[in-house]
Amino acid sequence: GFSPVAPDEVLDLLTLLVNKSLVVSEKKQGIETRYYYLETIGQFALDRLLDSGEGTAARERHLAYFRNLAEIGAKELFGRGQLKWIARLDRELGNFHAALDWVEENDAEETRLAGLYLIAALAWASQNGNVSEGYEHLLRILSITGNIRTALRASLLALAGWLAIVLQLNNESELYANQSIALYDELGDRLGRAWPIAVFAAQ
């Protein structure tokens, strides 16, 4: 296995990797320094991690971190920090997608629930980029989380209905809006029903 790295060793190790051109550092004005593996190095490191037998634990830690980040971001999206959060999300798209890949491979309920939080955060990115790709990824996560009956899932069903309108898929939009309303009714959330009803009004 791999020996744990002490927090005070991280910067020295990163500096060593940068000096050897194995890691690239990037600093933009007003943003913290970011470190990136070159693609070939990153794939080699991932293969070594999986070979070590510690890949599952590492991916679970990765998922937990980005689920937490997504939950924090969900609050920030409707506050003064909205633009800052969207910018941070944009920088983390690769990590969010990697975490979602693990959700799709793992059928543990807690993992699937984390997927709902991740896709909720990513849905905002889909509106600023490739809507079709965001919609398809949302549908994949919704398809494997049908047993999770929460307001978060209901809101994501409504979002699927909205994205379907954007993509001019009116039949699909009606389907997901109806599913959202049914789940809100199941949960006794009359206020939540306003979101999918607004989707119907936009059709």
Side-chain angles (χ1 to χ4, degrees), residues 72-88:
I72 293 171
K75 301 172 186 175
E76 296 292 337
L77 279 171
F78 298 99
R80 294 180 178 178
Q82 183 186 63
L83 294 179
K84 181 179 179 181
W85 163 247
I86 291 176
R88 181 169 186 183

Side-chain angles (χ1 to χ4, degrees), residues 57-77:
R59 296 183 80 177
E60 288 290 352
R61 289 194 297 270
H62 181 271
L63 174 63
Y65 177 86
F66 285 96
R67 170 189 169 157
N68 182 63
L69 186 61
E71 290 189 66
I72 293 171
K75 301 172 186 175
E76 296 292 337
L77 279 171

Side-chain angles (χ1 to χ4, degrees), residues 143-160:
S143 73
I144 63 174
T145 55
N147 62 322
I148 299 176
R149 316 297 290 173
T150 63
L152 176 58
R153 177 180 171 80
S155 70
L156 290 173
L157 285 165
L159 178 60

